[in-house]
Amino acid sequence: MNHMPTLNRRAFVIGTAAVGTGLAIGLDIPFGGPTVVRAADGSPEVNAWVVVRPDDTVVIRIARSEMGQGTLTGLAQLVAEELECDWSKVTSEYPTPGQSVARKRPWGDFSTGGSRGIRASQEYVRKGGATARMMLIQAAANEWKISASECSVANGVITHAPSGRTTTFGKVAEAAARLEPPADVKLKDPKDWKLVGTSVKRLDTVDKTTGKMTYGIDVKMPGMLNAAINACPVFGGKLKSFDVAKVTDMKGVKKVVKVGDSAVAVVADTWWHAKTALEALPIVWDEGDNAQVSSASIAKWLEQGLDPAQPAFIGNQNGEAKAAVASSAKKVEAVYNYPYQNHAAMEPLNATALYTADRCEVWCGTQNGEAAFAAVLEASGLPADKCDIHKQILGGGFGRRGQTDYVRQAVAIARQMPGTPIKLLWSREEDMQHGKYHPITQCKLTGAFDADNNLTALRIRLSGQSILFSLRPEALVNGMDPAAFQGLNASGDAAIGYSVPNLLIEHSMRNPPIPPGFWRGVNVNHNAIYLECFMDELAHSVGQDPLEFRRKLMTKHPKHLAVLNAVADKIGWSKPAPQGVFRGIAQHMGYGSYVAGAAEISVTDGNKIKVHRLVAATDPGHVVNPAQIERQIAGSFVYGLSALFYGGCTVKDGRIEQTNFDTYNSMRISEMPKVESIIMPSGGFWGGVGEPTICIAAPAVLNAYFAATGKRIRSVPLRDQNVTFT
């Protein structure tokens, strides 16, 4: 058996990007060895990715997190494709970060965000499946005393055609697990894929629909107590005092504890008793200077950043945009803004911690097992060989569970009650008021035309928050946040799709005290609205069709243009829309994928929108599971349209005003349009799926609204403009 080495706690924590983006240490991926490593049921591990049971069940280990997006099934497909196992006999399990660290990280990165779950690990998980296949074949060949080259495999059955002999994975797994892995592993050509590229059923659906699935909120342990927590509602505020005597005798209360310097928790026999006592607990806060912050003060500060005289980072430029604007025959200007957004996952944040003097374990849903593991080390004060994280399926993540604040809190509480499992569950109000929000931004756009109505210059000035400044300052480039320019870059996996002779895109970084975070789609959400709605403005200002106007600027961007043309054709852009129906179109690039969308809407009384139809096209390079992509597109539109119509968090007295779903709403089934997906992989690269398409729904609908009413909406959410669904 492999034994976990002692690792200095501080060295490990310093070596991690513990905020939710993976480890900053080398990747070493061994695929097995002569010592048989066994799963909990005693079945042999052929390599780190593949466990084979005697009944031929194949357990595929998945390091990335599943939160409804389908990564678990997609990664299992990639392993199974190379393994050549029977998909009907495939199941999955999570390895723990503690196991991974002890074995020199054979599973690689545990982080699940930025639409990287499949695209960033596809090569080495496929190699894991191919390695296991070769070892299983070699084990059978050794038993038959023949060359492995004479054997073939399909659906978990190994065949020696010359003799007619067959065996199954389950029968040779023990012997295979004792072999040295092959040094040279060749992966299949994508044209030879049989399982990858097909819409197989998800591995987690049955358990979810039958109630068998265990989420973090469902964890139960003998002797477990429950904790409710309340942190200072003003960001940056501190806990001043609380009166324990007022709640000590309340039903079920076991203990009241301070958590860090800004929170207090009540531990009780049930969570409801803990919550009830917490609400009755007299608490005095030191709210600090941030209690003066409001949405109005933030907006004013961001507006000042739009002034070209203010300093700004330049993210993309060519030509001389300032001079071209100054000498233009026609100039068009517009200012847009985008608010804070809450992740609002259905399952509130929670974690169960068990702490003793020589061991600390946590059970929780997390988007980054390694970051959560690092948080446990830091919060517990114990070394890596004394800690572990047991990942659960997530009841929604959207970026929020890439952070580790709730894990640290659970450990901090458990340390004050050693030997007792403590389940910390945030209330909905705590979850809403202590998020890591989609960053707030404003944008001033200026377009310039020559006398022939050709676009000669485009200047985009962003003013607003930087996520990296708050969460990953080491990723800043000479103080600049490169992620702020998602979808506006000159090249890379989030490049702009237009060529303009003179271009200047800049960012005035301004960071209010409301903490930002990675929110599904992140910066492409607002950047797509700014760019694509302004493209419509430019087109209409010179009397040109919005599609044709874009096409003229996209001749050097064939992949951007291909998805745009696809949705235009599907929506019937060249033909008149049905009576009373109006169309809008948008395209963008994010997370390595090219996406476009077209909307058909109708408008009643000038402010009630019915979204009839959304057509979406995506080119992610390769497709693992088409059905999953269709679901991701539709699901992302729910998220994107909810943010457009109902979302937006406001700040008063230094705190978030929206505390539950009555003030932070989500669209209903009756409001959901028909979604038509066009999946058009062009090959040669791996793009993301879960986040790119979210950004195109809002600008497509906003552009359609202009077509219907002649009114341009430049501020989100629409509820603030008295515009809603019908």
Side-chain angles (χ1 to χ4, degrees):
M1 295 289 289
N2 286 317
H3 295 282
M4 188 177 290
T6 300
L7 184 66
N8 177 273
R9 177 188 66 85
R10 181 168 177 80
F12 180 82
V13 172
I14 291 174
T16 67
V19 297
T21 51
L23 287 175
I25 59 179
L27 182 62
D28 180 20
I29 308 174
F31 292 110
T35 302
V36 178
V37 179
R38 299 192 181 278
D41 65 357
S43 299
E45 177 187 285
V46 181
N47 64 20
W49 301 96
V50 177
V51 172
V52 180
R53 294 173 181 161
D55 65 357
D56 294 324
T57 297
V58 173
V59 183
I60 296 178
R61 300 255 179 77
I62 304 296
R64 308 284 179 157
S65 299
E66 177 60 51
M67 51 191 136
Q69 81 281 33
T71 291
L72 184 149
T73 300
L75 287 171
Q77 277 182 264
L78 288 166
V79 174
E81 176 68 63
E82 297 289 348
L83 183 60
E84 293 283 4
C85 62
D86 183 345
W87 179 255
S88 68
K89 296 180 179 179
V90 167
T91 185
S92 67
E93 68 179 19
Y94 288 139
T96 72
Q99 294 168 349
S100 187
V101 169
R103 295 172 59 176
K104 299 182 180 179
R105 301 186 74 229
W107 293 283
D109 193 348
F110 276 60
S111 176
T112 311
S115 286
R116 296 191 309 268
I118 287 178
R119 65 185 175 121
S121 57
Q122 55 81 23
E123 183 175 4
Y124 61 79
V125 302
R126 289 160 61 205
K127 191 171 289 187
T131 301
R133 181 193 75 242
M134 295 173 70
M135 294 168 71
L136 289 159
I137 292 174
Q138 186 64 58
N142 291 348
E143 181 180 323
W144 294 331
K145 295 180 173 54
I146 60 170
S147 170
S149 63
E150 298 177 21
C151 300
S152 61
V153 61
N155 293 319
V157 177
I158 302 169
T159 301
H160 181 237
S163 66
R165 285 176 292 188
T166 63
T167 190
T168 64
F169 281 178
K171 293 176 181 177
V172 299
E174 184 77 25
R178 298 182 185 279
L179 298 175
E180 289 287 349
D184 185 26
V185 180
K186 184 179 180 181
L187 299 178
K188 289 184 181 180
D189 189 300
K191 66 180 177 56
D192 297 324
W193 286 341
K194 294 176 290 187
L195 185 65
V196 173
T198 64
S199 297
V200 298
K201 294 180 180 178
R202 289 177 57 147
L203 296 176
D204 54 340
T205 299
V206 172
D207 285 355
K208 286 180 175 178
T209 54
T210 60
K212 184 180 177 182
M213 185 68 72
T214 299
Y215 296 85
I217 199 172
D218 300 320
V219 169
K220 292 181 175 65
M221 301 178 68
M224 184 179 78
L225 296 178
N226 297 268
I229 195 165
N230 191 355
C232 184
V234 176
F235 295 100
K238 306 296 182 184
L239 176 64
K240 192 171 183 179
S241 65
F242 54 93
D243 189 350
V244 177
K246 296 292 186 182
V247 301
T248 300
D249 295 331
M250 291 185 68
K251 187 175 181 179
V253 172
K254 304 298 183 183
K255 197 165 188 175
V256 181
V257 299
K258 183 180 179 182
V259 185
D261 60 2
S262 62
V264 60
V266 174
V267 181
D269 55 352
T270 70
W271 185 77
W272 189 255
H273 287 156
K275 176 180 181 292
T276 302
L278 184 63
E279 290 173 343
L281 179 69
I283 304 173
V284 179
W285 304 110
D286 176 5
E287 296 184 347
D289 294 340
N290 290 341
Q292 308 303 315
V293 175
S294 67
S295 288
S297 68
I298 294 172
K300 182 177 180 180
W301 190 36
L302 266 58
E303 183 181 356
Q304 292 170 358
L306 299 178
D307 183 344
Q310 294 293 312
F313 296 102
I314 296 175
N316 188 6
Q317 68 174 329
N318 59 259
E320 296 292 338
K322 295 178 183 178
V325 169
S327 63
S328 63
K330 179 182 178 69
K331 183 173 73 171
V332 179
E333 287 187 344
V335 174
Y336 284 75
N337 68 65
Y338 197 85
Y340 290 115
Q341 299 280 5
N342 200 315
H343 295 85
M346 189 54 64
E347 178 192 17
L349 293 174
N350 63 86
T352 300
L354 175 58
Y355 173 88
T356 65
D358 61 356
R359 185 75 177 162
C360 186
E361 295 179 89
V362 172
W363 291 257
C364 67
T366 170
Q367 289 181 239
N368 190 341
E370 290 178 321
F373 182 60
V376 172
L377 267 62
E378 192 170 57
S380 69
L382 295 172
D385 61 338
K386 302 294 186 183
C387 299
D388 216 341
I389 284 279
H390 304 278
K391 292 203 305 175
Q392 310 298 307
I393 297 286
L394 284 63
F398 313 116
R400 180 62 179 94
R401 280 185 164 90
Q403 305 310 305
T404 60
D405 45 351
Y406 60 105
V407 176
R408 296 169 190 271
Q409 289 179 344
V411 173
I413 297 168
R415 284 190 72 172
Q416 299 180 65
M417 301 187 73
T420 301
I422 305 292
K423 181 197 284 186
L424 169 66
L425 172 63
W426 287 21
S427 67
R428 179 63 62 188
E429 289 75 16
E430 191 76 8
D431 196 87
M432 289 283 196
Q433 287 197 292
H434 294 89
K436 309 289 184 183
Y437 304 89
H438 186 294
I440 189 169
T441 60
Q442 294 184 20
C443 183
K444 183 176 182 179
L445 305 101
T446 306
F449 293 89
D450 63 17
D452 297 321
N453 287 335
N454 297 307
L455 184 66
T456 58
L458 177 63
R459 185 176 184 180
I460 301 175
R461 186 178 177 92
L462 300 160
S463 176
Q465 216 155 7
S466 160
I467 301 173
L468 295 186
F469 178 86
S470 174
L471 298 183
R472 287 193 64 207
E474 72 278 6
L476 296 173
V477 179
N478 296 322
M480 183 182 76
D481 180 354
F485 300 96
Q486 276 186 311
L488 304 174
N489 293 308
S491 60
D493 69 357
I496 193 169
Y498 304 109
S499 293
V500 182
N502 300 281
L503 178 70
L504 176 60
I505 303 177
E506 51 198 345
H507 176 217
S508 174
M509 187 188 297
R510 292 176 177 240
N511 293 300
I514 312 304
F518 298 100
W519 189 96
R520 187 179 184 182
V522 197
N523 295 293
V524 295
N525 290 319
H526 51 259
N527 286 345
I529 291 176
Y530 300 157
L531 179 62
E532 287 303 294
C533 288
F534 191 62
M535 278 293 166
D536 250 50
E537 292 204 46
L538 294 175
H540 286 288
S541 73
V542 291
Q544 297 179 24
D545 175 78
L547 174 61
E548 294 305 321
F549 180 82
R550 286 173 169 83
R551 282 173 169 165
K552 288 189 296 184
L553 303 173
M554 298 176 72
T555 56
K556 296 180 181 178
H557 307 273
K559 293 188 184 297
H560 288 84
L561 182 58
V563 291
L564 181 67
N565 284 336
V567 296
D569 291 343
K570 184 78 171 178
I571 203 85
W573 190 270
S574 62
K575 302 174 183 177
Q579 183 68 31
V581 173
F582 300 87
R583 293 177 178 142
I585 201 165
Q587 68 81 29
H588 213 63
M589 184 189 185
Y591 306 95
S593 291
Y594 303 84
V595 295
E600 286 187 342
I601 74 168
S602 58
V603 180
T604 305
D605 300 330
N607 69 339
K608 297 179 180 64
I609 297 176
K610 174 67 175 179
V611 185
H612 298 277
R613 184 182 175 204
L614 279 172
V615 176
T618 180
D619 176 4
H622 291 291
V623 168
V624 175
N625 189 316
Q628 289 291 93
I629 294 179
E630 291 177 356
R631 294 170 190 138
Q632 283 277 58
I633 291 172
S636 73
F637 285 170
V638 175
Y639 214 59
L641 291 177
S642 292
L644 173 65
F645 280 85
Y646 294 133
C649 296
T650 53
V651 181
K652 183 179 180 181
D653 299 328
R655 65 199 77 199
I656 295 292
E657 292 188 278
Q658 292 70 28
T659 61
N660 212 312
F661 288 117
D662 59 335
T663 48
Y664 193 82
N665 203 356
S666 179
M667 67 186 300
R668 303 300 194 262
I669 291 177
S670 62
E671 297 164 340
M672 185 66 188
K674 177 184 179 183
V675 176
E676 301 168 45
S677 301
I678 307 167
I679 304 170
M680 42 191 299
S682 59
F685 64 96
W686 289 80
V689 173
E691 297 186 86
T693 54
I694 187 175
C695 73
I696 54 176
V701 168
L702 290 172
N703 289 337
Y705 181 79
F706 174 81
T709 65
K711 298 177 182 178
R712 187 68 67 178
I713 295 179
R714 302 185 181 95
S715 181
V716 174
L718 298 187
R719 68 155 191 256
D720 292 345
Q721 319 301 320
N722 193 31
V723 176
T724 186
F725 284 109
T726 183

